[in-house]
Amino acid sequence: MIKIENLSYHYPDGSSALDSITLNIRKGEFVAIAGKNGCGKSTLLRHINGLLQPSEGSVIIKGMDTSDNSKLQEIRRTAAMVFQDPQSQFIGMTVEDDIAFGPENLGFSTSEIKKRVSNALGSVGMSAYRYNTPRTLSGGQKQKVALASVLAMEPEIILFDEVTSMLDSGSRMDILSLVRQLHEAGTTIIYVTHLLEELVHADRLMLMENGRMICNGDPREIISKISSGRFGFDAPPIIELSKRLVDAGILEPSFLPLSKDELREAICQLK
């Protein structure tokens, strides 16, 4: 579904943001991308939906080359993006206006737009806020509306750019739950984060450093080998505890629990 070959991106001053990235993503896959601030994660996402175009190499979305300007509208309809700051996506006076904006631009009928707005609001649990002004919402509610705006376009791929970084723990868990539901429904997910605990449900983890892809594989295997602090994040307490139990010989090294539920189950299985 997504084919990236030898992608490099240079700033006008000649410095590199991305350096020879090659990556293939299958339909329905959940790929997490992590690394320190400034490593190129967000720049990579912006290439996938055509907001940026390669200095070198290519990005192909369902057979469409992002360097072909005639294909950009269809590419952005196929691969929609939810940004870190939901305020950057708001343009309407009401929640309904914001969510309707995308389908309107795609030329759908009034009845179809209303249907899509209602479905999107229902999907994120925000139907009661349809006529609210976006600026009056909480951070978590704003992020849900931003996601609903994307869902109304019914994209096959959704790109999430550090969408929980400014949220409290409760709102963060709500958004993560919605992401998992979308993945289970068959949506291709590309999820950028700097929080290790958000990587647990991904099919694949890609680590970036200085604009390069340095690791790409099974999240459990990669996380078990990460040195605390190297990629801009420390292991959350539950993963740190699991590692210590494995090192102490209490848990089998073949399986590293990455969540409270997994650790609880592993401990219950001990004889």
Side-chain angles (χ1 to χ4, degrees):
M1 174 162 271
I2 300 172
K3 186 175 183 180
I4 301 173
E5 289 193 352
N6 300 316
L7 168 62
S8 293
Y9 181 71
H10 309 303
Y11 293 119
D13 64 4
S15 61
S16 294
L18 297 175
D19 187 359
S20 300
I21 300 288
T22 294
L23 179 68
N24 292 316
I25 298 175
R26 300 182 299 275
K27 180 178 176 61
E29 195 172 12
F30 184 166
V31 177
I33 303 175
K36 291 183 179 179
N37 289 337
C39 71
K41 305 185 299 293
S42 296
T43 303
L44 177 58
L45 285 195
R46 283 162 170 76
H47 276 82
I48 293 174
N49 82 332
L51 287 175
L52 294 175
Q53 295 187 355
S55 300
E56 301 169 22
S58 63
V59 179
I60 309 296
I61 311 299
K62 288 193 68 179
M64 298 178 287
D65 194 323
T66 61
S67 65
D68 183 349
N69 289 334
S70 69
K71 300 292 186 182
L72 285 180
Q73 184 177 26
E74 182 62 24
I75 287 171
R76 290 168 186 163
R77 178 180 176 180
T78 302
M81 190 163 175
V82 184
F83 294 89
Q84 179 181 28
D85 180 6
Q87 289 288 150
S88 65
Q89 292 181 249
F90 295 153
I91 58 172
M93 294 298 293
T94 67
V95 167
E96 180 182 55
D97 291 339
D98 269 305
I99 298 173
F101 180 77
E104 285 174 351
N105 279 348
L106 294 174
F108 290 109
S109 66
T110 300
S111 60
E112 177 66 17
I113 292 169
K114 288 182 177 179
K115 175 185 173 183
R116 287 179 176 238
V117 170
S118 295
N119 289 343
L121 282 169
S123 295
V124 300
M126 290 292 288
S127 297
Y129 298 87
R130 185 177 190 131
Y131 303 111
N132 284 56
T133 302
R135 66 173 180 271
T136 65
L137 303 176
S138 69
Q141 290 170 335
K142 288 176 181 177
Q143 199 59 276
K144 289 178 181 179
V145 171
L147 176 54
S149 298
V150 164
L151 294 179
M153 295 186 290
E154 299 183 358
E156 296 180 56
I157 304 163
I158 302 182
L159 315 172
F160 293 89
D161 189 10
E162 305 238 31
V163 294
T164 65
S165 63
M166 298 190 293
L167 303 182
D168 58 49
S169 59
S171 297
R172 184 163 60 85
M173 295 308 296
D174 286 346
I175 295 297
L176 288 173
S177 178
L178 290 169
V179 172
R180 290 196 295 271
Q181 290 173 32
L182 288 166
H183 177 230
E184 290 167 1
T187 304
T188 303
I189 303 292
I190 306 176
Y191 191 89
V192 163
T193 184
H194 66 280
L195 299 172
L196 269 181
E197 59 264 40
E198 296 187 356
L199 308 175
V200 176
H201 299 282
D203 298 319
R204 187 151 48 109
L205 170 59
M206 171 182 166
L207 292 181
M208 294 185 66
E209 193 169 57
N210 298 323
R212 295 188 175 191
M213 179 175 69
I214 62 169
C215 203
N216 180 23
D218 178 72
R220 193 177 304 277
E221 182 178 347
I222 293 172
I223 291 171
S224 69
K225 298 176 181 178
I226 289 177
S227 299
S228 184
R230 179 180 174 190
F231 296 102
F233 42 55
D234 294 324
I238 193 67
I239 295 177
E240 198 61 48
L241 176 57
S242 296
K243 285 184 176 182
R244 291 186 182 185
L245 291 174
V246 169
D247 292 342
I250 298 172
L251 296 179
E252 291 293 328
S254 58
F255 181 80
L256 178 71
L258 299 181
S259 68
K260 292 179 182 178
D261 290 341
E262 287 185 351
L263 181 56
R264 185 184 302 114
E265 180 66 23
I267 292 173
C268 288
Q269 295 297 320
L270 293 176
K271 295 181 179 180

